[in-house]
Amino acid sequence: MTLTDMMKSFQARHGFPPGRNLVALATVESHQATDALVELTPIPSDLTTMYWAIDEVSLPDVDSGYFIHPASMVAGHYREYGAVQIDGEEPALVFASDRGGHLFALAGSGRVWRSATASWSDQFDLAAADLQEFFEGLARLIIRQL
């Protein structure tokens, strides 16, 4: 509901209409993509659970813009770039980005990491203790824009 509220008041606050902000629910096709991703690489269970409910999230008007990639895109990126290597962590899987090109990766530990630059091979810093905390942070950004 909060995202809907933000979109209703967006133009009045900013003077221009909002972009395409959406939370796309999982479909049969996205479930198949999630299954294929699970077969391709060890995927953190929280990410599998998320993909069974949500296909993708596009929030270009929230803060600098946030995007949760669909499982099919995550698989393509994994094939092209592999997993992200973070010291002291199991390999992490990139699942999201922001408009600045920073990447968000979920490690086997459940922690979410954010790239320091727009690179797959640069330093990653801790962004959230787990996926729930990551989404709670996005919710707080939405609420601040109301």
Side-chain angles (χ1 to χ4, degrees):
M1 184 57 127
T2 304
L3 183 59
T4 302
D5 294 337
M6 187 185 99
M7 292 303 95
K8 286 179 185 175
S9 63
F10 187 89
Q11 187 161 348
R13 283 182 287 109
H14 297 285
F16 56 91
R20 187 170 180 249
N21 294 270
L22 67 92
V23 176
L25 298 179
T27 63
V28 171
E29 292 81 16
S30 69
H31 286 168
Q32 291 169 345
T34 300
D35 289 343
L37 181 60
V38 169
E39 290 178 21
L40 179 65
T41 180
I43 176 174
S45 62
D46 286 351
L47 202 54
T48 305
T49 302
M50 181 198 76
Y51 281 132
W52 279 101
I54 298 169
D55 178 32
E56 70 178 299
V57 177
S58 179
L59 302 171
D61 297 314
V62 174
D63 198 40
S64 64
Y66 287 89
F67 308 93
I68 309 299
H69 306 158
S72 58
M73 180 185 286
V74 173
H77 286 159
Y78 179 80
R79 283 186 199 97
E80 187 169 346
Y81 303 107
V84 171
Q85 302 301 315
I86 300 168
D87 289 341
E89 279 281 5
E90 298 174 31
L93 194 59
V94 171
F95 73 97
S97 60
D98 66 18
R99 184 170 278 150
H102 297 100
L103 306 171
F104 294 91
L106 185 64
S109 66
R111 291 185 283 212
V112 177
W113 297 84
R114 179 183 182 264
S115 64
T117 63
S119 172
W120 289 74
S121 58
D122 204 355
Q123 176 183 335
F124 277 72
D125 299 315
L126 187 62
D130 56 29
L131 202 54
Q132 180 176 338
E133 184 178 290
F134 176 78
F135 278 109
E136 287 170 352
L138 288 179
R140 284 190 299 276
L141 290 173
I142 293 169
I143 290 167
R144 274 192 271 178
Q145 289 187 232
L146 292 177

